[in-house]
Structure formats: structure tokens, C-alpha cells
Amino acid sequence: MRRQRKLPTVMDQDNNLKKTSNPVEGAFKSMDLNRVIKLLEETDKDDLEEKQLKSVKKLVQCYQNGLPLRDLAQIFKVLNLCAEKIENQPSFVESACNILKLCGLPFLKKKVSDEITYAEDTANSLALLGDLMKIPNSELRIQVCKCIVDFYHAEPPKKHITGYQQANSSYKIQMAEVGGLAKTMVQSLVLLENQLIEKLWVLKALQHLSTSEVNCTLMMKAQAASGICTHINDPDPSGQLLFRSSEILWNLLEKASKGEVIQQLSNLDCLQALKEVFKNLFIKGFSNYDRQLRNDILVITTIIAQNPEAPMIESGFTKDLILFATFNEVKSQNPLVKGIKLSNSHEDFELKKLLFNIIVILCKDLSTIQLLIDGKVIWALFTYVKKPEKNKIIEWSAAQYEELQLHSIATLSSVAPLLIEEYMLCQGNARVLAFLEWCESEDSFFSHGNSFHGAGGRGNKFAQMRYSLRLLRAMVYLEDETINNDLCEKGTIHQLIGIFKNTINKDNDREEAILLEIQSDILLILSGLCEHSVPRKEIFGIEGVDIILHVMKTDSKKLQSGLGYNVLLFSTLDSIWCCILGCYSSEDYFLEKEGIFLLLDLLTLNQKKFCNLILGIMVEFCDNPKTTAHVKAWRGKKNQTAASLLIKLWRKEEKELGVKRDKYGKIIDTKKPLFTSFQEEHAIIPLPANCPTMAVMDVAENIRAKIYAVLGKLDFENLPGLSAEDFVTLCIIHRYLDFKIGEIWNEIREEIKLEKLRPVTTDIRNLDIITTASENIGKMVASLQSEMIESQARQDMQNEQKVYSKIQATHKQRELANKSWENFVARTSNVKTLKKAKRLQEKAIESSRYNDRPPNAIFHRTDIKGLNTTVPSGPVITVESTPARLVGGPLADTDIAVKKLPIRGGALQRVKVGKTVDEPKRSAPT
């Protein structure tokens, strides 16, 4: 097994550093850096320059294998002194460049702790590199950039120095971040506007620096995005300027504050520069590299276009982008696109999708609408909304065409609602419905489903159907009667109901989510079409009600599956409201198929997101006189009634709203019986007459008003299945409207006080009367609740006493049974006790008999003589009036029978008996 090693401490590493060092191959010669610095600072001697250069040369030779961290500050001071002399003494350029080359070598540490100890000195030293860019010397500036690039391509030292170790490879990069080198390098770009070579080297250095989030933040603060983008189209035969600038912009957008970078790029100069670059690459770029760069520029533009303040239209970029997006589908005479044709290469395919995508972003600015009309965007997008034509040659592959088809339909969902006239001119409804018909057909079609839009549509037409329905939904939601009438005239309602039925019959678990989305969209479209039109609701009819009932019968467990059943149920409830309510035939059919029962079943799920909508539907349904009987007939789990369910929901709602109630549900504050915690926390403020107050908003924001309305339709009387607690709550619900009116009058009174108005005497008196009446109603309800609670307490006490009586009787019976058993055991174990019990039994029997017997009465004994038992011997009697020859005596069937009857073969035979004079008369047995 591999052993777990303990990491050594810093002190241990310092002590053992010499032991772990590589074999000695070189060593530092002693070098007095302070002397070199002092020499460079002198200015009076004649042969000073030669001595200075010689000393710097020795320094370079001494540190040719790396720079120790402890000497770094002094070495950079030497570099700075050499750089200051360059303007008057050009011979120091070579010395400064040689020192800069040393900076590309690894930094060396004598102790592990050196990286921390000399961190500040190292950061300050590396920050000086940016300051060197201010010196107007091309060779020095280029060497500074090379030095920075070398930070990211570290090479091992040529020789290993005794007692030194190479610092972490990322140490230089981290110290450059701390020193703010990236910021000074961005600022140096201003000095290099007309010096292409130096500018390219700076951009190369910035490209490497921009791989860090810290550096990107520093560069952003130095306005790097706008500065670089403005000059992105400057002349450059090598093409490096455009490439490196785009890479830096990409890194800034990814690693710095995206919003701030976009804000910097959202100016006219930047967008015009990007426009010219994109245009040149689009028209003149033919290589794969050019196309990739073109697409990168378009992505950056797309990100900028998300900012509504970006002057896309003013720069002319929007117009050009629309032209480039549509020229392939709509013939254009614009010279920009003359002779241009897109290929089916991956880069051109990506370009086409990016152009569709940017159109969606651009159309959010309503100023773009006229440009979209002029560019015939709707016509171009609709060229893809059609079934594939056999034997027709297209410029795209099958998979590419399918993806573009889906992308164009998705784009139409955003663009078409803004261009209604254009949509109707190109017969958009007819095209979409015909496309939907093809989606539903059994035509052979193999979908690839590889794209984002094609998810869930591999081997079928579900993706096409989904996006077509989204487009229809977007158009229907405009509530434009021209569009909706056109759809209904083309039989859309029946067609959509048919599609819904077909999706129900398709058992496809793998594509369940997309099928649920299709069903939801169909119901939403039908709701939009039928909402304000009774004739359309009649067209929806029984077939439509059946699909709604089918959805409502879905297993409630699926609502938590996350596949979209929640959305489908919302769409279904919306369809009930818009497609059934108001059409009597549909309402009656819905009731006949137990639709109200299904609604109440959904209400029992206790999901707050559905309750408000369901209760609203029930309030509207209760206008139908047949509904009340259905509501009263419903029974839930544990025989729960609809009234009990609604009252339970009321209590839960009040608990969530923080309404003050005692433990029995009784009113606490009779002045404010409906006040919520929100109303308590927020003081009343004067509002204009057209603004609803908190009391009015409370009616719409919770379900109490709807529960009151439904129970009001049930007349608040003869409600079965209610407990005492339910009746206490029902008292409040019954007076909800009175309480709410009083609450509103209290708000009016408070607003008058806050506005320092003094009503006339009559109005004051009327306000007092209303307030007093409202408070009296609260007191009356509280009193009635108290009576109910007390009555219930008495009833509970009585029930408790009955239970105790039953328990007491049961215990007494057990005691008697135990005593009887003890007596029985005593009789069976003691003969004297048995005889005594026998005597007592016979005495009791004798005393219970009637002594005065009538004459000639025959006495029949009920016991058997000679038995020493106290257990009753059973209903055995001797009937002396019956001839013994017929029955064989009183004990004929026992072992002690007096006489046994002779047994003959065969059945019993009738015996003819003559009448005897002395035979006594037969009497009934006793």
C-alpha cells in the first residue's frame, strides 16, 4: 500500500533544502549590488559610462542561471537606472534588454519561505515593467513584452545553483497580478497608436495576461475593452491585430464583469469598428481561419446587442446583419451580397444560426421593426416552415436543414408577433397549420435531433410540432381578432384537439416531457381562441371537455415528477375557465362526467399554487344551479365533505397570513377580525382614489373571498360533515363581507385623519355608526363562537361520562365473572362446598316454584335425581303421558336407558294403537 506522508513544515524544508538539492553544477559569484547601484547613480566622472556598462555586464553574467528573490529588488533598481539613461545614452539599451532577458529565467529561492518573505518586493519589481513602456525605445518595449510572455512559458534553469531552488512556476504570474502589471500595459497602448510592431507585442502580452480573472478586472478598470475594440480594424497585413484583439475581448467578457465590459463596448466607435471587421470577413474571408474569426466577432456583437443602450441601429450594424441573415432566402440587389453564397461547411452553418439568434435579440428594440420589414425577415424565415420536398437539391445537409428549420420557427416566435401585417401577408397561419398537419402525418421522416432545438425529437417530428405550437401560441396571445378569426375559420380548434388525442395515444416514456409541453401549448392556444367567444366554445364542445377530463384524472403523484405535469395542469385549469365556463352545454357535460368531483379532488392535494385557480373556477361554476348538488354530494378521504375541505383551507390560509385567532379559532380582535400580519406591520397611507388600498388588495391576493363565495352559494346552512371547530370558523366566513366592509371604512377614517381633514358633523356621526356596527358584529360573532365552544365542551363532557360508564360496567362485569369463576373452582375442588352449593341451589329452585297447584295437574321434574352437580343439567324432562314404548323411556339415548327399543331394518313403521280407557290425558311439557 502507498504510505501517507506528512507534509514537512517550512522550517523543516529550510533546514533540509541542501540535502534535497540537485548535484552542484554552478554557483553564484559574490556580487556587490549596492556598489553597482551607487556607480550607476554617479554622474561626474569622465570614463563613468564605460565603467557602468562593464558593471552591468558583470551583473548579467553573474545571474545568467536565474534571479534570487532576495536580490530581485536591487536588480530591478539597476534596470530602472539603466532605462533612465537610455534617452541620453543609447548604449544602455543593450544592458537594459540583457537584464530583462534575465527576468525570463526562473526566480530562485534559498528558503521555502522566500516566496512569502519577498512577495511585496517581487510584486513592486514586476510592476516596474509596465513603467518601462513609457520610455520611447522600440527595442526596450519589445523586450519588456517578451519578458512578460516568458512568464507563461517558463523554462528550467540551465544549471542548478548550490543552495537554491526554483520558485513555483506560477509565482511570477501571481506577483504580476498583485503588482497591477496588466493595468499599466493597457495604459501603454495609448503611446503606441502609430507603432504597429510594438502594439502587436503589447497585445500579445495582454493576451497572456488576460487568462487571469484578476488581470481581466484590472484591464477592465483601465478601459481595455473600448480601447482595444476601437482599433480592432486598424491596418495590419499580418492579421495578428484582429486575432489578438478578439481573443482579449473574449477573455474580458468571460473573466471580468460582463456588464461593465459590455457597457464599455456599447459606443458608436466600437460598433462601427466591429461592423467593418465583420463586413470585410463576411465578404472577403474565404479561409477556415477567416470564417472562424468572423463567427467570433459576431458572437461578441451578439453579446453587445443585449444591451438596449448599444447604438446598433445608429452604427448601421443592424441593417447589415439583417441583410446577411436573409440574402440567401430572399433575393437582394445589394452590392454587399452580390455573388456571395454560403457553403454547407461547419463555420457557415454556425454563422447562419448566429444570424438567426441575433435577429431575436435585435427585435427587442422596437426601432428595429421597420428594418425587419424592409429586410423581409418574415418571408425569409417562412421558407423553412414547410415539409421536406423529395428530390429537391438544397445547399445544406439533412441534419443542418432540420436544425435551421427549427431555429427559424423559434425565431419566428419572437419576430412574428411584432410584424402582424407581414405575417398575414405571407399567410402565416395557413403555413403553420399545414406544417402541423405534416408533423401529425405518418410520412416517413427521420429526424436527427442533434441540436438544442431538436432535443427530444430524434426519429420523430415532436421537435417540429413543439416549435410550431409555440409560434401559434405567441400569435394567439396577441388577442388580435384578425389572426384568431383566420385560425378558427381554418378549423384550428378541431385540428388541435385531434393532435392532443393523438399525443395521448402515444406511449413514449422517453419523450414524455416534450409530449407534455405539446399538450400544454395546445390547451393554452385553445384557451386563447375560445376565451371571449361562445360560438368557439361550442366548437370546442364535448371532444374538448373529454381531453380536459382526461388530464384531470392524471395520478397526483406525477405532479412532483418534474416532467411538466404541473404546467399541463395549469393549462388545463385555464382551459376550463376559458373554453367551458359560459357555454351551458359544455358546463352540463362537464358536471355529468363528474368534473366538479375532479376539481375538489385536486383541491384536496393542498397545493397552494392550484387552490386560487380552482376556487375561482368553482365560484363561476356555482352560477349553474346544477353545481350545488354535485358539491354537496362529493366525499373525500375519511368521508370528508366539500364544506369541511373549504373551511380547512380557510384556517390554513389565515394561519399563513398571520390572522390573530385563539386556540379554538375564535376572534381575538373584534375591531379588526380579518387583519393579517402584513396589514399590522404596514401603516395605512393616503392613496389616490384610483389606487386600491391594502384591504381591497387583500381580497384578490388570497383565497378567503373565493371560499366565502363558494360557501355562500351553498347558503351556509345544512352543511354536512362539520365539526365544532368547523362551525366556529364558519361563523367568521359567514360574516366575511361585513367584516371587510368595516375594514375598508376604518381605512377611510384613518386616511381622513392622516390628511388632516375634518368631515361635516353628519359624516362623522355616520362613520361612528358604521364603525360601531362593524365592531358589534365582531362581538356578536365572538359571543356566538363562545357559545358553540361551551356547548361542544359540555357535549364532550357528556360523551366522556358515557365512555366512563361503559368502562365502569365493563370492569364490574369482569369482577362478577372473576367471582363466578372463583366459586366454580371452589365447588370443583371442595366436596363440602359443592354439597352446600347443591343444597342452596335446590332450595332456591324449590322456593321459586308455585306452591298452589291446580287439581289433577301433572308435575314434571326438571332435574335428574342423584346428580351431585350444581351445573344445570339442561332442558331434560320426563313426559309420563307419552307411552314408553314409543320413546324408550326418559333416558333412551343414554347409557343408562330404562329400556331400549328393538331395532328393525328399514324405516319406522306406524303402530296401530287401540284406545285405552285408563290412559291419562296428554299435557304440554313444562
Side-chain angles (χ1 to χ4, degrees):
M1 289 181 63
R2 184 178 179 182
R3 294 183 179 179
Q4 295 292 330
R5 296 182 180 177
K6 181 181 177 182
L7 292 174
T9 62
V10 173
M11 186 176 293
D12 293 335
Q13 291 184 0
D14 290 343
N15 293 334
N16 297 324
L17 188 58
K18 292 182 179 181
K19 297 180 182 179
T20 58
S21 299
N22 291 321
V24 177
E25 294 184 10
F28 281 123
K29 297 178 182 179
S30 58
M31 186 78 185
D32 189 354
L33 293 173
N34 289 326
R35 182 182 175 189
V36 176
I37 293 170
K38 187 176 180 181
L39 182 62
L40 288 170
E41 288 175 346
E42 292 179 0
T43 56
D44 299 333
K45 296 181 180 180
D46 296 334
D47 57 345
L48 185 62
E49 180 177 348
E50 186 177 351
K51 291 181 180 180
Q52 290 172 338
L53 292 172
K54 189 175 181 180
S55 63
V56 173
K57 188 175 181 181
K58 286 182 180 180
L59 182 147
V60 173
Q61 290 176 348
C62 180
Y63 294 103
Q64 62 182 344
N65 293 318
L67 300 179
L69 290 175
R70 66 181 183 180
D71 298 338
L72 200 62
Q74 291 177 307
I75 293 171
F76 268 84
K77 191 170 184 180
V78 172
L79 172 62
N80 194 36
L81 290 170
C82 291
E84 289 175 357
K85 296 178 179 293
I86 288 176
E87 188 174 357
N88 298 321
Q89 297 172 283
S91 57
F92 278 92
V93 172
E94 185 180 356
S95 298
C97 290
N98 288 335
I99 297 175
L100 284 171
K101 290 177 183 178
L102 295 179
C103 296
L105 298 174
F107 287 172
L108 303 176
K109 58 186 178 181
K110 197 165 188 177
K111 298 180 180 179
V112 174
S113 58
D114 283 356
E115 290 185 0
I116 301 172
T117 305
Y118 299 106
E120 185 178 354
D121 291 341
T122 306
N124 294 334
S125 299
L126 294 179
L128 290 174
L129 294 176
D131 295 333
L132 294 179
M133 297 298 295
K134 297 176 183 177
I135 297 173
N137 184 278
S138 176
E139 187 179 353
L140 180 67
R141 288 171 173 172
I142 292 172
Q143 190 58 52
V144 169
C145 295
K146 287 181 179 180
C147 177
I148 295 171
V149 172
D150 288 340
F151 290 174
Y152 296 85
H153 305 284
E155 295 181 1
K158 298 177 181 178
K159 293 183 180 180
H160 293 282
I161 310 302
T162 305
Y164 286 90
Q165 231 182 14
Q166 183 177 346
N168 194 332
S169 58
S170 62
Y171 184 69
K172 288 183 184 179
I173 299 172
Q174 293 172 1
M175 293 300 102
E177 293 173 357
V178 175
L181 177 60
K183 185 176 180 179
T184 53
M185 291 301 293
V186 171
Q187 293 169 347
S188 69
L189 281 171
V190 181
L191 307 172
L192 308 173
E193 288 187 2
N194 300 321
Q195 300 170 25
L196 180 60
I197 296 176
E198 297 169 26
K199 183 189 290 187
L200 292 177
W201 272 106
V202 172
L203 289 174
K204 185 175 182 179
L206 288 173
Q207 183 183 352
H208 284 79
L209 289 169
S210 64
T211 55
S212 158
E213 291 184 6
V214 176
N215 286 335
C216 283
T217 303
L218 293 170
M219 291 168 65
M220 177 195 70
K221 291 178 180 178
Q223 302 293 315
S226 58
I228 292 172
C229 187
T230 304
H231 299 282
I232 197 172
N233 196 38
D234 287 356
D236 173 28
S238 68
Q240 291 186 47
L241 176 66
L242 177 56
F243 167 71
R244 300 197 188 281
S245 299
S246 63
E247 283 293 314
I248 295 169
L249 291 177
W250 260 115
N251 291 337
L252 288 172
L253 287 167
E254 287 181 353
K255 295 180 172 62
S257 171
K258 189 175 180 180
E260 180 64 29
V261 175
I262 291 174
Q263 197 64 38
Q264 289 184 21
L265 295 173
S266 298
N267 60 69
L268 197 60
D269 293 336
C270 289
L271 287 172
Q272 283 181 339
L274 288 172
K275 181 188 77 170
E276 294 302 322
V277 168
F278 180 77
K279 191 190 299 184
N280 291 334
L281 290 171
F282 189 89
I283 297 171
K284 301 175 182 177
F286 296 103
S287 67
N288 191 52
Y289 166 78
D290 290 340
R291 290 170 178 170
Q292 289 177 350
L293 194 56
R294 172 198 64 190
N295 292 353
D296 289 344
I297 297 297
L298 184 54
V299 173
I300 294 172
T301 305
T302 303
I303 295 172
I304 299 171
Q306 294 174 3
N307 181 14
E309 298 177 3
M312 293 292 295
I313 297 175
E314 293 83 346
S315 65
F317 208 170
T318 299
K319 186 176 181 180
D320 287 347
L321 289 171
I322 292 173
L323 173 66
F324 295 144
T326 60
F327 81 96
N328 221 30
E329 293 78 23
V330 180
K331 299 303 179 183
S332 174
Q333 301 300 322
N334 194 306
L336 283 177
V337 293
K338 188 175 181 181
I340 297 177
K341 189 175 182 180
L342 297 179
S343 65
N344 61 356
S345 65
H346 177 72
E347 286 71 26
D348 283 350
F349 175 61
E350 289 296 322
L351 171 70
K352 195 66 179 179
K353 292 194 295 180
L354 288 171
L355 289 169
F356 282 169
N357 184 58
I358 200 170
I359 284 176
V360 174
I361 296 171
L362 293 173
C363 72
K364 294 178 181 178
D365 183 0
L366 297 181
S367 305
T368 315
I369 291 177
Q370 188 57 48
L371 295 175
L372 294 172
I373 295 172
D374 296 341
K376 298 183 178 181
V377 173
I378 294 289
W379 294 88
L381 293 173
F382 262 116
T383 58
Y384 293 94
V385 187
K386 58 185 178 181
K387 65 179 182 179
E389 297 180 17
K390 296 179 180 179
N391 302 324
K392 183 178 180 180
I393 300 174
I394 56 175
E395 59 272 23
W396 308 106
S397 67
Q400 289 175 335
Y401 183 82
E402 179 196 352
E403 191 169 345
L404 289 176
Q405 184 182 64
L406 294 171
H407 208 140
S408 64
I409 301 172
T411 305
L412 277 169
S413 300
S414 300
V415 176
L418 303 174
L419 307 174
I420 297 175
E421 291 184 8
E422 295 291 310
Y423 177 83
M424 295 303 293
L425 280 174
C426 66
Q427 298 181 345
N429 286 336
R431 293 192 184 200
V432 176
L433 292 174
F435 190 67
L436 273 175
E437 188 177 351
W438 171 77
C439 292
E440 193 185 4
S441 67
E442 299 296 331
D443 291 353
S444 58
F445 175 75
F446 182 76
S447 172
H448 293 78
N450 296 323
S451 65
F452 167 78
H453 296 287
R458 189 169 184 82
N460 53 54
K461 306 170 189 173
F462 291 158
Q464 285 81 355
M465 185 181 292
R466 174 172 60 173
Y467 281 96
S468 299
L469 289 170
R470 282 187 187 179
L471 173 56
L472 278 183
R473 186 186 68 189
M475 300 310 297
V476 169
Y477 270 27
L478 295 173
E479 296 185 0
D480 186 281
E481 278 305 307
T482 305
I483 295 173
N484 291 352
N485 285 333
D486 184 56
L487 284 170
C488 292
E489 288 172 2
K490 289 179 168 58
T492 305
I493 295 175
H494 283 306
Q495 184 176 348
L496 292 179
I497 292 173
I499 293 173
F500 194 101
K501 288 181 178 179
N502 289 337
T503 58
I504 292 173
N505 298 329
K506 291 177 181 177
D507 185 13
N508 194 335
D509 294 336
R510 190 182 63 179
E511 314 298 348
E512 187 175 7
I514 190 173
L515 287 172
L516 291 173
E517 184 182 342
I518 288 170
Q519 291 173 356
S520 300
D521 284 341
I522 288 174
L523 291 176
L524 290 173
I525 294 167
L526 291 170
S527 299
L529 291 174
C530 300
E531 185 174 6
H532 304 295
S533 175
V534 176
R536 294 175 190 169
K537 292 180 181 180
E538 292 174 352
I539 295 172
F540 183 80
I542 293 174
E543 284 186 313
V545 175
D546 284 336
I547 63 175
I548 287 176
L549 292 170
H550 173 82
V551 176
M552 293 177 69
K553 292 176 183 177
T554 303
D555 186 0
S556 59
K557 295 179 182 178
K558 292 183 178 180
L559 295 175
Q560 308 299 331
S561 65
L563 293 172
Y565 282 98
N566 275 333
V567 178
L568 179 59
L569 186 55
F570 270 120
S571 305
T572 304
L573 294 174
D574 187 53
S575 297
I576 295 173
W577 197 297
C578 299
C579 302
I580 296 178
L581 288 170
C583 179
Y584 298 126
S585 58
S586 297
E587 285 184 11
D588 291 346
Y589 184 75
F590 185 81
L591 292 172
E592 180 185 337
K593 294 295 182 180
E594 301 180 347
I596 289 295
F597 289 3
L598 295 174
L599 282 174
L600 289 168
D601 289 340
L602 290 174
L603 205 56
T604 57
L605 298 178
N606 207 11
Q607 294 198 16
K608 189 174 179 64
K609 52 192 173 185
F610 296 128
C611 287
N612 208 341
L613 190 53
I614 293 172
L615 287 169
I617 292 169
M618 289 191 64
V619 170
E620 296 296 327
F621 253 113
C622 284
D623 290 337
N624 189 323
K626 299 177 183 179
T627 305
T628 306
H630 287 261
V631 175
K632 289 183 176 180
W634 177 83
R635 291 293 181 273
K637 293 181 179 179
K638 298 181 181 180
N639 207 32
Q640 185 182 30
T641 62
S644 174
L645 173 62
L646 293 172
I647 293 171
K648 181 181 176 183
L649 288 173
W650 175 285
R651 283 199 295 269
K652 182 185 175 186
E653 185 74 7
E654 286 200 330
K655 185 177 180 181
E656 291 176 355
L657 294 172
V659 181
K660 292 180 180 179
R661 299 280 185 262
D662 66 5
K663 62 180 180 179
Y664 301 107
K666 182 182 167 185
I667 293 174
I668 294 177
D669 188 352
T670 56
K671 293 182 180 180
K672 301 174 181 177
L674 298 178
F675 248 49
T676 64
S677 59
F678 180 81
Q679 290 173 288
E680 292 280 358
E681 293 168 3
H682 294 77
I684 296 173
I685 56 173
L687 294 171
N690 60 344
C691 293
T693 62
M694 283 191 288
V696 177
M697 290 298 295
D698 176 73
V699 176
E701 289 177 351
N702 57 69
I703 62 175
R704 292 189 293 179
K706 293 181 176 66
I707 293 174
Y708 166 78
V710 174
L711 290 174
K713 297 290 183 179
L714 302 178
D715 297 330
F716 293 104
E717 297 179 359
N718 302 322
L719 300 176
L722 299 185
S723 63
E725 186 182 13
D726 292 337
F727 278 112
V728 170
T729 307
L730 188 62
C731 293
I732 302 173
I733 300 174
H734 193 191
R735 289 291 185 173
Y736 173 78
L737 188 58
D738 296 328
F739 290 150
K740 185 55 69 174
I741 291 171
E743 191 178 313
I744 292 171
W745 277 109
N746 281 334
E747 282 188 337
I748 293 171
R749 186 175 193 138
E750 290 298 322
E751 287 187 13
I752 290 173
K753 288 182 181 179
L754 290 171
E755 293 179 355
K756 297 180 180 180
L757 300 175
R758 188 182 180 280
V760 297
T761 306
T762 307
D763 289 342
I764 293 174
R765 185 169 61 252
N766 290 337
L767 280 173
D768 292 337
I769 293 170
I770 292 169
T771 305
T772 305
S774 176
E775 189 174 348
N776 288 338
I777 292 173
K779 291 178 179 178
M780 181 188 69
V781 171
S783 175
L784 180 60
Q785 288 178 318
S786 298
E787 291 178 9
M788 288 182 176
I789 293 168
E790 291 172 4
S791 175
Q792 182 62 29
R794 288 193 297 271
Q795 183 65 39
D796 291 342
M797 185 64 71
Q798 292 175 3
N799 294 337
E800 188 175 347
Q801 289 296 335
K802 288 180 181 180
V803 172
Y804 284 145
S805 298
K806 289 181 180 180
I807 293 171
Q808 190 175 6
T810 302
H811 280 286
K812 189 173 182 180
Q813 189 66 29
R814 286 178 182 173
E815 290 174 3
L816 292 173
N818 291 336
K819 190 174 181 181
S820 175
W821 173 254
E822 290 172 0
N823 291 334
F824 176 75
V825 172
R827 294 196 304 272
T828 56
S829 60
N830 193 328
V831 176
K832 292 180 180 180
T833 305
L834 177 63
K835 289 180 179 181
K836 184 180 178 181
K838 180 65 176 177
R839 287 195 299 272
L840 289 173
Q841 186 185 43
E842 288 177 349
K843 186 177 178 180
I845 293 171
E846 190 64 29
S847 64
S848 67
R849 286 175 178 166
Y850 186 64
N851 295 326
D852 297 332
R853 296 178 183 173
N856 302 326
I858 300 174
F859 176 73
H860 300 280
R861 294 189 64 84
T862 60
D863 56 347
I864 301 172
K865 288 184 178 182
L867 292 179
N868 291 324
T869 63
T870 56
V871 179
S873 55
V876 179
I877 59 173
T878 302
V879 184
E880 295 180 354
S881 60
T882 303
R885 60 188 176 79
L886 293 178
V887 297
L891 300 174
D893 294 333
T894 66
D895 294 338
I896 56 174
V898 177
K899 180 182 177 182
K900 292 185 178 180
L901 291 174
I903 299 175
R904 297 177 181 179
L908 294 175
Q909 297 181 1
R910 186 187 295 269
V911 179
K912 193 173 183 180
V913 180
K915 185 177 181 181
T916 57
V917 178
D918 297 332
E919 188 176 9
K921 294 181 181 179
R922 180 177 299 183
S923 59
T926 60

